[in-house]
């Protein structure tokens, strides 16, 4: 019985050893290499670059007040169209107390002078009617009265301007009425009634009352990496796609490439702009994210193969031509590539077969 178990154990060990040997042998057997067989095709190949950016109006103007004060009325809101010269808001002036006091004092002095000039005129007129004074003397008194009246009117107008920001004589062109300087769409009204505003001067930019833009003249504004900026030129056709309008694309023309780079996330980039042609009835909002595709090279109706079929050796390019596992290495001249297919200029004809990607199979 013991001999039986002994022989059984030996046989089992031998069986495991043989099985392991067979498994390792099969795993170590070489695999037969097989390849896809490709047929050259006639295609139009385009090489392009994509630039990220946004859609903005060419002319976007910040409307600022010509006088400091407090917003008393707002007549327009964002999204409304406005014509050049149309009133957007009104500013109530908060007068400087020193200037106001001086203007009031000037009015009082002008009234005193006017009363005295009126008294002198009445007296001289009575004497002139009795032929007791000369006409020349009476004319001088009349002129003094006219000057006093003019001074009184001027002083009153100055007081109204200091106190109210506008006088009765120039109410239609008052600086308290904030008017649009261009015709277009109001993009933003960042102020509210009661907000204090200041005019623009050499020390500050002033308060923006509204932002107005011509939405009929839009441009694409983006940045391109320095490695690709040398491949583009002004006047190149561009296709614009907007993230919010995925089903639509627009034609554009590249019209500006910045001569100076700006650093962005550690890389040098150049600003580019393209004029966008928006079809009728399409509503484009300012600030839409967009991509601009610029065609760098185009080869129309040319013989091509997948780039995976090309073998690169230094400056030379080759393909393997043949079928049924029999291939010959042949030099070819390549052209435009789009990352998937590549143009074959010379060395290959349309009817030939080309070796493609390798496929591994066990025997």
């Amino acid at each position: 019985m013991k001999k039986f178990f002994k022989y059984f154990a030996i046989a089992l060990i031998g069986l495991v050893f043989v099985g392991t040997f067979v498994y390792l042998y099969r795993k170590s057997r070489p695999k037969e290499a097989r390849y896809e067989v490709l047929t050259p095709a006639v295609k139009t190949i385009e090489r392009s670059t994509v630039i990220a950016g946004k859609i903005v109006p060419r002319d976007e103007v910040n409307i600022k007040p010509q006088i400091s004060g407090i917003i008393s009325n707002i007549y327009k809101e964002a999204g409304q169209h406005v014509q050049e010269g149309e009133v957007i808001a009104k500013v109530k002036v908060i007068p400087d107390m020193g200037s106001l006091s001086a203007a009031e004092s000037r009015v009082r002095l002008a009234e005193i002078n006017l009363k005295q000039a009126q008294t002198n005129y009445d007296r001289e007129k009575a004497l002139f009617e009795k032929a007791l004074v000369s006409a020349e003397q009476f004319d001088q008194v009349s002129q003094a009265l006219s000057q006093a009246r003019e001074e009184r009117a001027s002083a009153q107008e100055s007081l109204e301007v200091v106190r109210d920001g506008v006088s009765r004589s120039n109410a239609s062109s008052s600086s308290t009425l904030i008017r649009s300087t261009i015709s277009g769409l109001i993009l933003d009204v960042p102020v509210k009634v009661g907000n204090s505003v200041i005019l623009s001067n050499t020390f500050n930019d002033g308060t923006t009352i509204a932002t107005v833009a011509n939405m009929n003249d839009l441009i694409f504004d983006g940045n391109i990496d320095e490695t690709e900026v040398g491949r583009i030129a002004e006047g190149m056709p561009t296709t614009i796609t907007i993230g919010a309008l995925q089903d639509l694309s627009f034609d554009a023309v590249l019209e500006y490439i910045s001569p100076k780079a700006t650093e962005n996330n550690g890389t040098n980039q150049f600003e580019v702009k393209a004029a966008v042609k928006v079809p009728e009835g399409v509503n484009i909002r300012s600030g839409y994210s967009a991509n601009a595709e610029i065609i760098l090279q185009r080869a129309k109706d040319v013989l091509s193969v997948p780039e995976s079929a090309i073998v690169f050796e230094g400056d030379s390019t080759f393909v393997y031509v043949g079928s049924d596992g029999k291939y010959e290495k042949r030099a070819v001249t390549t052209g435009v590539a789009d990352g998937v297919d590549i143009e074959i200029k010379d060395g290959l004809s349309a009817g030939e077969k080309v070796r493609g990607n390798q496929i591994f199979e066990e025997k």
Side-chain angles (χ1 to χ4, degrees), residues 62-231:
N62 291 328
I63 308 299
K64 299 179 182 292
Q66 298 177 343
I67 192 169
S68 298
I70 295 176
I71 298 292
S72 60
N73 296 94
I74 296 178
Y75 304 108
K76 299 290 183 179
E77 61 183 16
Q80 291 184 322
H81 288 272
V82 66
Q83 297 298 319
E84 181 180 353
E86 193 171 351
V87 177
I88 297 176
K90 183 178 181 180
V91 174
K92 178 182 178 182
V93 176
I94 304 300
D96 177 74
M97 297 310 297
S99 300
L100 179 61
S101 178
E104 291 175 342
S105 177
R106 182 184 171 190
V107 170
R108 290 193 294 268
L109 180 60
E111 288 177 344
I112 293 173
N113 292 336
L114 178 58
K115 288 182 180 180
Q116 183 61 48
Q118 185 67 51
T119 300
N120 294 340
Y121 175 80
D122 293 340
R123 182 172 58 248
E124 291 296 323
K125 182 179 180 182
L127 294 174
F128 179 72
E129 290 175 349
K130 296 178 181 180
L132 297 177
V133 295
S134 64
E136 182 180 359
Q137 186 175 352
F138 179 67
D139 290 341
Q140 291 177 352
V141 174
S142 298
Q143 184 179 1
L145 176 60
S146 298
Q147 290 176 345
R149 287 173 177 170
E150 184 62 30
E151 176 60 26
R152 170 64 177 80
S154 177
Q156 182 61 38
E157 184 171 325
S158 297
L159 174 61
E160 291 173 355
V161 171
V162 172
R163 183 186 61 206
D164 306 323
V166 58
S167 65
R168 283 172 290 182
S169 62
N170 64 357
S172 61
S173 59
S174 169
S175 58
T176 61
L177 299 177
I178 312 304
R179 302 175 183 273
S180 177
T181 55
I182 65 170
S183 298
L185 181 71
I186 299 178
L187 301 181
D188 187 26
V189 180
V191 296
K192 297 180 180 180
V193 173
N195 286 163
S196 296
V197 297
I198 56 176
L199 76 163
S200 177
N201 53 43
T202 56
F203 300 103
N204 58 71
D205 293 334
T207 305
T208 298
I209 302 297
T211 302
V212 182
N214 179 9
M215 296 302 292
N216 294 322
D217 188 8
L218 300 176
I219 61 172
F220 168 84
D221 188 1
N223 292 285
I224 187 172
D225 191 84
E226 63 180 344
T227 59
E228 295 185 326
V229 70
R231 303 172 183 172

Side-chain angles (χ1 to χ4, degrees), residues 16-30:
V16 171
F17 176 78
V18 172
T20 302
F21 176 78
V22 172
Y23 174 76
L24 293 177
Y25 172 75
R26 294 185 62 185
K27 291 291 290 184
S28 63
R29 293 176 64 188

Side-chain angles (χ1 to χ4, degrees), residues 18 49 54 82 89 171 206 231 241 264 319 322 329 334 343 347:
V18 172
T49 184
K54 58 184 179 180
V82 66
R231 303 172 183 172
T241 56
N264 186 7
V319 294
K329 187 178 179 180
T334 58
E343 176 190 4

Side-chain angles (χ1 to χ4, degrees), residues 44-49 231-232 236 293-300 334-338 343 345:
T44 295
I45 301 177
E46 296 178 342
R47 183 182 180 185
S48 63
T49 184
R231 303 172 183 172
I232 63 174
M236 278 187 168
E293 183 180 9
I294 302 176
I295 305 300
L296 302 177
Q297 291 178 296
R298 175 181 290 166
K300 188 176 181 180
T334 58
V336 180
D338 62 4
E343 176 190 4
K345 292 184 175 180

Side-chain angles (χ1 to χ4, degrees), residues 239-252:
T239 301
I240 305 295
T241 56
I242 299 176
L245 305 173
Q246 297 181 0
D247 296 333
L248 295 177
S249 61
F250 311 101
D251 293 330

